[in-house]
Amino acid sequence: MIQATDKTLSTPETITQTSATFTTLRCRECGEEYELGAKHVCEDVCFGPLEVAYDYDEIRRRVTRESIQSGPNSIWRYRTFLPVKTDNPIDVGTGMTPLLRSNRLARRLGLKNLYIKNDAVNMPTLSFKDRVVSIALTRARELGFSTVSCASTGNLANSTAAIAAYAGLDCCVFIPADLEAGKVLGTLIYDPTVMAVQGNYDQVNRLCSEVANTHGWGFVNINLRPYYSEGSKTLGFEVAEQLGWQLPDHIVAPLASGSLYTKIYKGFQEFIKVGLVDDKKVRFSGAQAEGCSPIAQAFQAGRDFISPVKPNTIAKSIAIGNPADGIYALDIARKTNGNIESVTDAEVIEGMKLLAETEGIFTETAGGTTIAVLKKLVEAGKIDPDETTVAYITGNGLKTQEAVQGYIGEPLTIEPKLDSFERALDRARTLNRLEWQQVLV
Ligand SMILES: *Cc1c(COP(=O)(O)O)cnc(C)c1O
Ligand SMILES: [Zn+2]
């Protein structure tokens, strides 16, 4: 919960580690540099987005593969590449999720080297957002914020509320009022203040920008956005480390604001820059749901600007109609010879089912979007069967149950009697719902 009145900024916690590797906030458009505060736009010059800049010579001097491997089993093993100063970051076990070598899905699609990066089991709230929030709240604490907040499509609210609870920070989150029940409940349980805004995400975000200007709150994805977004680099770092310190040939990731996608790219580039992996041109493909696909539309039309859209899709977690990092995502897709594709809601559901049936992973709608786009790209010959391809699964299906309700059959209800079971089994066989012959031999 938030306090009755806004607290003024608390005293920043004592920082014991002074040799941070991040140096300034730098404008992505004009290069203007700013001090490392709670700031996200280039307000002196061009209003472009700010990004954290690092001293890569210092990072190179400090890290080796061994030093990373001897670090914690969480995103904080990559701390040298992350924008925090403290020796005691908020470590709730986020990161180091499985990179699964796909067998059955790969065979189904005709791919030889497919991997699934499974952030559906990320900690503590089962989506990749725990990565970005762990970093944003660690930095929020360093900057002296006592209340943290966010504009969320669902998963970010879960993460911010959970990790704020752990860190003892006051929390107020903003969500669109029409979110899935699991996302709302999965936020309320941590007892933050939840503002359900009658509008879409882009309206929520606009409102939050105003609140950020009038209250002294740390909005993880607004005034703390430069720090927050760096957390997604760890999805690049982990894949490189888990592949045995090599980069894949091709990745497929979902796009909402485009931040995740662009930061996986930044993560790969940084590992190359400091010599942890060999240089390689990784192809970047992106996934959107057709009902909110402003980046895919720009890509297909060959445009280098984004025309905002009004979201209308079951893939609510990635339904951002005016994506802040859209143009940077477009640029990466084009220069790496990747693709940005969209799929229908029906294909999203098929994607969720396909991943579950072949790999035992229950992902949410965003993951269904990624798998459906992966399939579409393979069928169009846009992914080579031999390429080492990584599909990023970013969230958990238990949070978006309504998406598949009615599409996955029903249990067979029986009496606690053997003959009732036998009759049901016969029915199941005739319905051909299970491959019994295979099971019985
Ligand atoms: C937020 C989110 C994304 C994409 O986020 P970006 O805004 O593009 O960084 C992807 N998948 C899930 C499940 C998400 O919650
Ligand atoms: Zn600028």
Side-chain angles (χ1 to χ4, degrees), residues 27-32 34 42 45-48 50:
C27 175
R28 287 194 74 152
E29 292 298 321
C30 76
E32 181 75 6
Y34 294 83
C42 176
V45 185
C46 76
F47 292 95
L50 301 183

Side-chain angles (χ1 to χ4, degrees), residues 334-381:
R334 290 192 174 122
K335 74 183 176 203
T336 65
N337 195 26
N339 288 281
I340 300 179
E341 259 300 349
S342 65
V343 287
T344 64
D345 282 0
E347 289 172 303
V348 170
I349 293 166
E350 284 307 312
M352 293 170 73
K353 289 174 64 177
L354 180 60
L355 185 66
E357 289 164 11
T358 56
E359 302 293 351
I361 295 172
F362 185 14
T363 184
E364 66 148 80
T365 48
T369 306
T370 301
I371 295 299
V373 164
L374 171 72
K375 181 167 180 273
K376 194 166 175 176
L377 292 175
V378 174
E379 285 167 356

Side-chain angles (χ1 to χ4, degrees), residues 39-323:
K39 198 183 277 287
H40 70 299
V41 285
C42 176
E43 55 196 29
D44 294 350
V45 185
C46 76
F47 292 95
L50 301 183
E51 183 176 43
V52 177
Y54 296 83
D55 177 349
Y56 289 108
D57 291 331
E58 183 57 30
I59 295 178
R60 199 178 297 115
R61 269 194 291 278
R62 247 193 256 176
V63 297
T64 60
R65 292 174 179 179
E66 293 70 30
S67 73
I68 290 171
Q69 279 162 338
S70 66
N73 191 38
S74 73
I75 54 170
W76 295 109
R77 69 208 276 109
Y78 309 109
R79 209 197 64 174
T80 317
F81 295 87
L82 298 173
V84 303
K85 292 183 174 167
T86 178
D87 272 335
N88 294 303
I90 301 170
D91 190 349
V92 285
T94 299
M96 292 309 278
T97 55
L99 180 71
L100 191 77
R101 187 172 177 123
S102 165
N103 294 312
R104 300 188 62 235
L105 177 61
R107 226 177 305 133
R108 189 81 77 89
L109 297 177
L111 293 176
K112 295 192 187 119
N113 298 299
L114 175 65
Y115 291 82
I116 308 291
K117 179 59 173 168
N118 186 10
D119 260 19
V121 295
N122 199 17
M123 287 288 127
T125 69
L126 310 177
S127 88
F128 99 92
K129 291 294 199 303
D130 294 327
R131 298 172 183 275
V132 283
V133 172
S134 291
I135 286 148
L137 296 197
T138 297
R139 187 68 187 138
R141 218 166 51 172
E142 287 181 354
L143 292 170
F145 288 101
S146 56
T147 301
V148 292
S149 189
C150 66
S152 174
T153 56
N155 284 314
L156 186 57
N158 295 169
S159 261
T160 303
I163 301 177
Y166 175 82
L169 293 161
D170 295 331
C171 181
C172 176
V173 298
F174 296 74
I175 53 174
D178 71 344
L179 278 194
E180 301 94 339
K183 297 261 168 86
V184 179
L185 188 132
T187 301
L188 288 169
I189 188 64
Y190 306 109
D191 197 27
T193 299
V194 180
M195 298 288 175
V197 181
Q198 291 170 320
N200 61 35
Y201 171 80
D202 299 281
Q203 295 170 300
V204 174
N205 192 44
R206 215 167 307 127
L207 170 64
C208 287
S209 297
E210 293 176 47
V211 178
N213 287 331
T214 51
H215 294 253
W217 296 356
F219 276 81
V220 300
N221 58 339
I222 300 176
N223 51 359
L224 296 169
R225 189 173 178 86
Y227 309 105
Y228 155 97
S229 59
E230 291 291 292
S232 292
K233 293 190 307 191
T234 61
L235 269 172
F237 298 153
E238 283 177 25
V239 161
E241 184 180 346
Q242 289 169 322
L243 286 174
W245 302 100
Q246 287 182 61
L247 300 182
D249 297 317
H250 204 146
I251 68 109
V252 183
L255 299 158
S257 71
S259 172
L260 161 73
Y261 180 89
T262 56
K263 296 301 173 174
I264 293 171
Y265 181 82
K266 186 178 182 186
F268 286 165
Q269 293 303 308
E270 288 183 342
F271 263 25
I272 293 170
K273 204 174 305 189
V274 303
L276 286 169
V277 297
D278 288 340
D279 196 356
K280 185 185 216 178
K281 192 165 168 181
V282 182
R283 298 175 67 196
F284 271 65
S285 288
Q288 296 208 291
E290 209 170 274
C292 186
S293 51
I295 310 176
Q297 285 170 21
F299 183 85
Q300 309 285 340
R303 277 191 268 116
D304 57 7
F305 62 92
I306 305 286
S307 304
V309 302
K310 221 171 157 185
N312 179 21
T313 168
I314 59 167
K316 294 176 195 280
S317 61
I318 50 170
I320 296 184
N322 190 12

